[in-house]
Amino acid sequence: MSDEKMTCHQIDLTDAEHAVLDRVRRVQGLDSIADVVVWLAKVRLRKGVGNITGRRRGPRLATSGGKPQ
């Protein structure tokens, strides 16, 4: 995302949900609950992509460090 701003959304949380997110915030060393939500979304997207592709990271070009054949 170059100079685009992220869209802001209001999420209503129960006290229990807020407590869980605050615990994750402290464990991960994040600054805010909003940072936790973004972090969790990225983790879930990475896992989802890994499940689809069978790899943990995206494809790489053969010239960028792949094994010579």
Side-chain angles (χ1 to χ4, degrees):
M1 295 174 57
S2 56
D3 293 333
E4 298 176 25
K5 291 185 178 181
M6 289 193 335
T7 304
C8 293
H9 294 280
Q10 181 72 30
I11 300 173
D12 296 324
L13 301 172
T14 64
D15 290 339
E17 291 167 334
H18 193 275
V20 168
L21 292 176
D22 191 54
R23 192 165 137 207
V24 171
R25 182 191 62 76
R26 283 184 273 123
V27 168
Q28 294 300 322
L30 300 169
D31 293 330
S32 68
I33 297 295
D35 291 341
V36 172
V37 172
V38 171
W39 180 81
L40 288 171
K42 287 180 180 181
V43 167
R44 184 62 191 118
L45 285 170
R46 283 187 202 110
K47 283 185 178 184
V49 169
N51 290 338
I52 291 170
T53 64
R55 298 177 66 171
R56 291 189 61 132
R57 297 190 179 245
R60 295 176 197 87
L61 294 174
T63 59
S64 66
K67 289 183 181 179
Q69 295 186 6

